[in-house]
Amino acid sequence: MTAAIVSERDPSAGAAADADALRTVSRRALALYLAAVVALTATILGMRLASHHASGLPTPVSVAHPAAPVPAAPQVEAVWGLRFTDVIVLADNGGVELRYQVIDAAKAAKIHLGDATSNQLPSLEVEGTSARITPSSVLMHFHHGDAVSGQSYSIVYGNAGGVVHSGGFVTIVMKDGLTIKHVQVSD
């Protein structure tokens, strides 16, 4: 009798049942994965907060450091066609963004030339230290096509060791040696 039941079974019904079982297992696996990610994230955050409170240190508070205006640099503007507007720390001090505005597109075009080792991007020297962020630390340079007068652009550098920090001062050093000193860093 068992053999008769098996032989009368519709083959397509078995395939549909297998697909339903697979979907159920996939949903359960996804739910288990998401629960594990949430639990791991909560554990890490909890441990970080607990270790900070156990140290007796006050809870860190994000204090905005508004930037002073970037000092005027008429020589850089005349030679490079650029006006630097901001130096900002990013990503918990893991990056530094250097913003500039193009004031002469023909002269500014050279900042977009080259690669990480032969480019015309500026370096940042941390004032009061020997620390320096060079073009080889560039993570991104936001420009598309030819430079456009009046347009603002950004260069994002890696900030290894957090050498540039909010409230500190840097000197912007152009490839040809021109500098802009005492540029305050904001966040």
Side-chain angles (χ1 to χ4, degrees):
M1 180 165 175
T2 307
I5 293 173
V6 170
S7 65
E8 292 176 13
R9 186 172 168 197
D10 181 10
S12 64
D18 289 344
D20 286 341
L22 185 58
R23 272 189 237 116
T24 301
V25 169
S26 296
R27 286 184 188 132
R28 285 184 186 153
L30 178 60
L32 183 60
Y33 173 76
L34 290 175
V37 168
V38 169
L40 181 62
T41 302
T43 301
I44 290 170
L45 289 174
M47 290 174 61
R48 187 169 178 187
L49 286 172
S51 68
H52 187 73
H53 288 296
S55 70
L57 297 172
T59 302
V61 176
S62 177
V63 178
H65 291 94
V70 172
Q75 197 171 11
V76 170
E77 291 179 13
V79 173
W80 286 85
L82 306 172
R83 179 177 298 130
F84 289 94
T85 59
D86 289 299
V87 178
I88 304 166
V89 291
L90 307 170
D92 202 19
N93 276 354
V96 177
E97 180 181 4
L98 177 60
R99 293 181 184 173
Y100 63 93
Q101 182 179 27
V102 172
I103 56 174
D104 183 329
K107 292 177 183 176
K110 65 184 166 188
I111 200 168
H112 298 160
L113 300 175
D115 58 26
T117 58
S118 66
N119 63 34
Q120 299 295 309
L121 298 176
S123 296
L124 301 174
E125 292 179 350
V126 181
E127 293 183 5
T129 74
S130 61
R132 182 180 179 111
I133 296 179
T134 63
S136 63
S137 299
V138 168
L139 301 174
M140 291 178 271
H141 184 192
F142 296 107
H143 68 89
H144 302 286
D146 295 332
V148 177
S149 292
Q151 181 70 39
S152 293
Y153 298 90
S154 291
I155 306 166
V156 178
Y157 298 85
N159 188 21
V163 296
V164 174
H165 56 86
S166 183
F169 289 87
V170 297
T171 296
I172 300 170
V173 182
M174 303 305 293
K175 192 72 168 191
D176 61 3
L178 293 176
T179 62
I180 307 171
K181 296 182 180 210
H182 311 300
V183 179
Q184 188 171 22
V185 180
S186 66
D187 54 5

